[in-house]
Amino acid sequence: MAEFVYPPVIGAALTAFRALDVRIKIVGAEHIPARGGAVLVSNHISYLDFLFAGLGAYRGGKRKTRFMAKDDVFRHRISGPLMRGMKHIPVDRTDGQPAYEAAVRALKSGEVVGVFPEATISRSFMLKKFKTGAARMAADSGAPLLPVVLWGTQQLWTKGRPKTLTKRHVPVTIMIGEPIHLGPDDKPVMVTRRLRAAMSEMLDKAQREYPGKPSGPDDSWWLPAHLGGTAPTLEVAEAEDEAESLAKAERRAARD
């Protein structure tokens, strides 16, 4: 089923991007493995990141990425059939073990599995703390980690901002790094630190070489604070995330 569903979805996305003149630049496509399993690890700055990260692998080597995503998306009447048809992997946040095991099986069978190790969108547009799941999957499956960094996607649709899906001429950078192969003695915590350091360097390069500029003072929200933008710092963003999580927990408790 995925072989019938995946290409039309990619085709529809590319058609929309062309209509809006989204200026996609893919750097490092030669690092996409031609065959075999790989854990594609991407930063997370937009609700559209799975499309762009998947596009990098698809254009780079015709690889179809099976993303791990929260199971709510699979229950939606529109996105659900598409997610299932493309063989993405649903994650129950109350019990992630079945999803983890499904991902390892997919990797061992030669699939590319997509992971967002920050778990949620970064409000600061900088890298948050990484969970170790991607490194553990690579260790358990023998597959390499494939670091991917996206930049520019936050201008289209991100957390705490209105959708601007019709915004035209937005440059989007998709940067793919060299695969990280794990040795038998590598520890997931140390590998995760190495992965995050590599992706931090890639993100800095993508940000500094990005051709887009704010159109005016009111359009600097998508730039990190250290580059002169008005996005919250990483520390402020983490505090906002904690407040949001607490509010959600209180609402759930009130319902129960």
Side-chain angles (χ1 to χ4, degrees):
M1 175 65 75
E3 308 315 313
F4 295 103
V5 176
Y6 214 113
V9 170
I10 290 288
L14 285 173
T15 298
F17 297 154
R18 281 193 293 268
L20 294 172
D21 190 30
V22 177
R23 299 170 182 179
I24 300 170
K25 178 182 180 182
I26 300 175
V27 180
E30 68 276 10
H31 297 312
I32 300 292
R35 62 186 64 83
V39 185
L40 187 155
V41 185
S42 174
N43 66 324
H44 203 7
I45 54 175
S46 163
Y47 291 110
L48 302 177
D49 288 341
F50 72 97
L51 281 175
F52 287 99
L55 177 62
Y58 191 73
R59 272 194 173 175
K62 295 299 180 186
R63 303 301 306 272
K64 303 178 183 69
T65 305
R66 318 304 182 188
F67 282 94
M68 301 183 76
K70 60 183 181 180
D71 54 5
D72 292 355
V73 182
F74 291 79
R75 292 196 293 268
H76 191 275
R77 63 185 182 85
I78 296 175
S79 63
L82 292 174
M83 295 294 283
R84 290 190 294 273
M86 289 186 284
K87 292 186 180 177
H88 294 312
I89 301 170
V91 180
D92 181 347
R93 291 193 175 182
T94 63
D95 181 12
Q97 189 61 29
Y100 180 89
E101 292 172 357
V104 171
R105 287 195 300 272
L107 290 165
K108 287 182 175 180
S109 69
E111 297 277 12
V112 177
V113 172
V115 177
F116 296 108
E118 298 164 282
T120 59
I121 290 174
S122 171
R123 300 173 193 262
S124 70
F125 309 126
M126 300 301 293
L127 296 182
K128 300 170 61 175
K129 294 176 182 177
F130 279 19
K131 297 183 181 297
T132 60
R136 290 189 290 110
M137 280 182 222
D140 288 347
S141 65
L145 293 162
L146 186 65
V148 173
V149 158
L150 306 173
W151 191 246
T153 62
Q154 74 273 30
Q155 292 192 65
L156 297 171
W157 186 16
T158 192
K159 181 182 285 187
R161 300 288 306 185
K163 294 180 189 178
T164 50
L165 297 178
T166 57
K167 186 173 182 179
R168 297 177 58 79
H169 317 307
V170 174
V172 169
T173 301
I174 304 170
M175 187 173 289
I176 304 161
E178 294 185 13
I180 297 174
H181 296 270
L182 277 66
D185 297 326
D186 284 334
K187 304 298 183 186
V189 171
M190 299 307 295
V191 171
T192 300
R193 289 178 184 172
R194 195 167 110 212
L195 171 67
R196 190 179 182 280
M199 290 178 62
S200 182
E201 186 175 330
M202 290 167 60
L203 181 59
D204 181 69
K205 181 178 175 63
Q207 290 172 339
R208 296 186 185 280
E209 295 180 356
Y210 186 68
K213 304 294 181 186
S215 60
D218 295 335
D219 189 42
S220 62
W221 61 267
W222 55 269
L223 271 181
H226 76 281
L227 292 178
T230 54
T233 64
L234 189 58
E235 293 75 18
V236 170
E238 287 178 350
E240 291 176 353
D241 285 341
E242 290 177 7
E244 183 181 69
S245 296
L246 181 59
K248 285 182 179 178
E250 289 175 347
R251 287 196 295 271
R252 283 196 298 269
R255 286 197 302 268
D256 296 341

